[in-house]
Amino acid sequence: MVHTILRRSVPATVAIVLCAALGFLTLRPSIATGEATRLAGRYSFESLDLNSAPPQARTERVVAPGLRDIRGWISAVGAAVALTDLRGLGHSGDVCLVDPRDDSVTLRPAPRSGGTPYPPVELRPSGGVPYDATMAPMGCVPADLDEDGDTDILVYYWGRSPVVFLNTRPGVPAAAGFTATELVEPMQVWNSTALNIADVDGDGHLDVLVGNYFPDGARVLDPTAADDSRMAMQHSMSLARNAGGNRILLGRPTGARDTLPRFTDAGTALDDDVARSWTLAFGLQDLTGDLLPEIYVANDFGPDFLLANESTPGHLRLRAVPGTRTLTMPKSKVLGHDSFKGMGVTFTYPGGTGLPMMMVSNITSEYALQESNFAFVPVGGPGELAFRDDSEELGLSRSGWAWDVKSGDFDNDGTDEILQATGFLKGEKDRWPELQELAMGNDDLLDLAGAWPNFGPGDDLSGHQHNPFWVRTPTGRYADLAPALGLDRPDVSRGFALGDVNGDGKLDAVVANQWENSRLLLNRSEGPPGIDLELVVPAAGGGTRAAVGAQVEITGPVRQKTQLYPANGHAGASASRVHLAAPTGSATGMVTWRDAAGTHSAPISLTAGRHTLLLGSDGTVATR
């Protein structure tokens, strides 16, 4: 009798133990106070407001009638930031900021950046470029698209296709110095949430990747669009493929100054599953050694994709690279098979060589939608694109409702730290029970906005989290030092831009916040200055442009590796410069790049401070 009772109770006991264990594992890992204090001693930041609330600042958007009951959800994105050097300071002291409180896109000097000050300059489409209240900016990316040696600003929106603001009067920014020009003709109704710049096909010219979210043509922000049949939410929480079409626009400069390149839409090279995903971020990185960028597509509501780049000039060829599942690996942690919510991606080289770790943001809210961030580490041989998620082992798996993620060396020791933006909807009434119920519901109802619970003013979904500051500890695991550094404000953040804004040789960060002031984290660490390296190539229209895609590998005294892809991630574009450590005051290594003539490589020897290297089409490197 006793044996029977024990036998019958074993399954229940095992279930209870498993539930308890799983509950314990969902708790965010912590670090001992003493150890956190010791590690935090290497870092110090001064937090400065970048902007203030505009007149009649709002906290939600006007939306289509069918979306009114979920306007809080629809209003949860739009803050974005970028760093650049428009004034010729020699460091990245100019900011492009998107503030959803008034849907403004402004250029402004970063606090403490030096140089000639100027009032904020608003970039707003005009001169025959259509723009109205049914359109709202989602991000900005600085790039010399017309290749005339001046930095232009590319702005992407909900409600219309992107607009290029051509820089026609270089120097201190002024509204009259930027001319609004359509990226695609005629203008189309896109709802874009991601945009990146690179030479994707290897022809030596910059191309544009656009990630679209709501279906093309859907008038998401039009209060008169009661009859818009194109408007739909995602049709699955884990396998949605009904978004707007992603585009890759191949550029060919005309050679004429202040004239936009001819762009060819090569989006047909994307499989339909990739093209119709709900994309929130692109990550570009050469993983095969040919200096063509592989593309990581981070998607909401379904699997991400890693695309191997096998293109030739003018001809795009991309191939999805799936991961391999082992017996003990959950399907959702396999590259290309996850069912999570990819929100951002960054690349970092902890050992300073080989292939990078790819960190991807997901929703990881405790006692809510507990998915997992990814830390995909390379596990294959040379040239083999094989990655395994080690986020749990590295302490990076949980952080909150995460968005943009950026890696950079803030203490100039040769190893990157990682910043992650978190938070969704800030309020007082917890709406996670309703969202959990929706997530467990029938996918056949999910694309109907009327089937969603209400999300409006006062509602909260992970709205009081802080942005982690991940530091690699001596054990190889990462620890969040934001609380120890006083960086644990409960802001709802979307994007980061990294760069040296004041020219002191230390990496700073600008944080774009949703519905509240954005911030500059000015690096006040006491460590040695690093190397702020500008890499440029000859521009087709004269002058030089950033050598996007160039790679620097430092072999001594500390091994380091980095590639120049400033617009990687979600809602943040970092400075078009490479930041390196020089703990002994100098560093040696190699720079490699690609242009229309092919691939090149040259040795470099650098000292701490600012440098500009002109990478020639003949393979030579000139210091400027």
Side-chain angles (χ1 to χ4, degrees):
M1 179 66 176
V2 172
H3 174 75
T4 301
I5 293 173
L6 288 174
R7 183 181 61 183
R8 290 176 177 172
S9 68
V10 165
T13 303
V14 170
I16 292 171
V17 171
L18 284 174
C19 287
L22 289 173
F24 175 76
L25 288 174
T26 61
L27 295 176
R28 185 171 172 175
S30 59
I31 184 173
T33 302
E35 178 69 1
T37 301
R38 186 184 68 80
L39 291 172
R42 307 204 308 257
Y43 311 94
S44 178
F45 295 93
E46 180 183 2
S47 179
L48 301 170
D49 276 359
L50 191 64
N51 60 341
S52 57
Q56 290 83 49
R58 64 169 184 264
T59 57
E60 64 177 37
R61 299 188 184 281
V62 176
V63 299
L67 302 175
R68 178 167 174 75
D69 288 341
I70 60 170
R71 61 191 182 279
W73 185 283
I74 303 299
S75 301
V77 294
V81 68
L83 276 173
T84 188
D85 180 12
L86 295 172
R87 289 173 287 169
L89 300 175
H91 57 267
S92 306
D94 298 294
V95 179
C96 179
L97 181 68
V98 181
D99 189 342
R101 295 178 294 186
D102 60 354
D103 281 338
S104 62
V105 181
T106 55
L107 303 174
R108 58 184 67 214
R112 316 280 175 83
S113 60
T116 302
Y118 60 96
V121 173
E122 184 171 7
L123 300 180
R124 186 178 180 86
S126 61
V129 177
Y131 192 71
D132 58 34
T134 68
M135 306 166 186
M138 292 288 134
C140 55
V141 175
D144 183 6
L145 284 181
D146 57 355
E147 295 197 31
D148 64 353
D150 307 323
T151 300
D152 310 306
I153 307 295
L154 181 51
V155 181
Y156 53 101
Y157 303 83
W158 278 4
R160 61 157 296 130
S161 45
V163 175
V164 181
F165 291 86
L166 291 172
N167 189 348
T168 59
R169 299 182 189 176
V172 177
F178 291 87
T179 302
T181 308
E182 295 284 9
L183 180 70
V184 297
E185 291 277 8
M187 183 271 284
Q188 301 177 33
V189 177
W190 293 353
N191 297 287
S192 307
T193 50
L195 191 144
N196 211 325
I197 301 287
D199 177 9
V200 180
D201 64 341
D203 69 348
H205 303 295
L206 295 177
D207 309 311
V208 181
L209 297 84
V210 184
N212 290 323
Y213 199 71
F214 290 105
D216 295 344
R219 303 188 332 257
V220 179
L221 305 179
D222 186 350
T224 70
D227 57 347
D228 189 352
S229 61
R230 291 162 296 193
M231 182 59 230
M233 303 298 286
Q234 75 278 4
H235 62 42
S236 171
M237 273 287 179
S238 59
L239 202 62
R241 294 289 183 268
N242 64 326
N246 292 337
R247 265 77 172 186
I248 300 182
L249 306 174
L250 301 182
R252 174 72 65 173
T254 64
R257 190 175 184 86
D258 299 329
T259 302
L260 203 61
R262 299 184 183 95
F263 284 106
T264 301
D265 188 348
T268 53
L270 299 172
D271 289 344
D272 193 60
D273 281 354
V274 179
R276 298 294 304 281
S277 296
W278 294 69
T279 299
L280 285 174
F282 289 118
L284 305 178
Q285 199 83 172
D286 171 29
L287 304 176
T288 60
D290 59 2
L291 295 176
L292 290 175
E294 273 59 55
I295 304 173
Y296 191 99
V297 187
N299 296 318
D300 211 350
F301 309 118
D304 297 348
F305 295 97
L306 177 62
L307 305 179
N309 191 348
E310 300 169 349
S311 304
T312 56
H315 302 281
L316 205 60
R317 184 182 178 190
L318 303 170
R319 174 177 54 85
V321 180
T324 302
R325 187 181 183 187
T326 64
L327 181 64
T328 58
M329 186 181 297
K331 179 181 177 182
S332 279
K333 302 199 62 139
V334 180
L335 180 63
H337 294 284
D338 68 283
S339 59
F340 292 163
K341 316 293 180 291
M343 323 283 265
V345 57
T346 192
F347 302 85
T348 180
Y349 296 81
T353 187
L355 290 175
M357 178 179 81
M358 304 185 295
M359 184 169 176
V360 182
S361 289
N362 282 295
I363 299 178
T364 66
S365 289
E366 294 173 3
Y367 308 110
L369 203 59
Q370 183 61 283
E371 299 176 339
S372 174
N373 296 320
F374 295 137
F376 288 119
V377 299
V379 293
E384 185 180 356
L385 299 184
F387 292 86
R388 178 189 66 225
D389 175 50
D390 279 358
S391 57
E392 185 64 32
E393 292 79 358
L394 292 171
L396 292 168
S397 60
R398 295 180 295 282
S399 55
W401 191 316
W403 295 84
D404 198 17
V405 57
K406 291 286 193 293
S407 54
D409 186 0
F410 288 92
D411 63 347
N412 289 333
D413 69 344
T415 299
D416 286 347
E417 289 73 47
I418 299 173
L419 271 170
Q420 202 172 21
T422 63
F424 186 70
L425 185 62
K426 182 179 286 189
E428 298 76 41
K429 186 181 296 183
D430 185 4
R431 287 297 188 186
W432 262 114
E434 290 87 346
L435 183 55
Q436 283 278 25
E437 187 176 86
L438 174 72
M440 294 185 295
N442 192 323
D443 277 357
D444 288 339
L445 300 176
L446 201 59
D447 64 346
L448 304 174
W452 284 55
N454 292 351
F455 296 112
D459 292 338
D460 187 274
L461 287 168
S462 300
H464 295 82
Q465 300 172 337
H466 73 264
N467 298 333
F469 182 80
W470 298 107
V471 173
R472 191 173 176 90
T473 69
T475 66
R477 284 176 60 87
Y478 286 81
D480 173 20
L481 296 189
L485 292 169
L487 301 178
D488 54 342
R489 295 175 57 98
D491 292 337
V492 173
S493 302
R494 289 294 170 267
F496 292 107
L498 308 187
D500 181 2
V501 304
N502 58 355
D504 66 353
K506 298 172 185 177
L507 198 61
D508 309 300
V510 180
V511 189
N513 289 328
Q514 186 79 12
W515 308 122
E516 45 202 348
N517 292 348
S518 295
R519 300 182 180 280
L520 166 65
L521 301 181
L522 197 62
N523 192 341
R524 297 300 194 187
S525 305
E526 296 182 356
I531 299 169
D532 190 45
L533 183 61
E534 182 183 29
L535 301 172
V536 297
V537 293
T544 61
R545 67 164 178 84
V548 178
Q551 175 179 286
V552 176
E553 189 161 6
I554 298 298
T555 54
V558 178
R559 293 197 71 94
Q560 302 166 70
K561 187 174 180 179
T562 187
Q563 297 183 22
L564 183 61
Y565 289 104
N568 276 351
H570 171 80
S574 293
S576 296
R577 306 174 78 95
V578 169
H579 186 82
L580 300 164
T584 64
S586 63
T588 58
M590 299 288 292
V591 58
T592 56
W593 70 100
R594 185 180 188 118
D595 56 26
T599 60
H600 311 280
S601 180
I604 53 174
S605 180
L606 304 167
T607 57
R610 287 177 283 171
H611 304 274
T612 297
L613 300 183
L614 174 60
L615 310 179
S617 58
D618 58 356
T620 60
V621 176
T623 302
R624 295 173 53 193

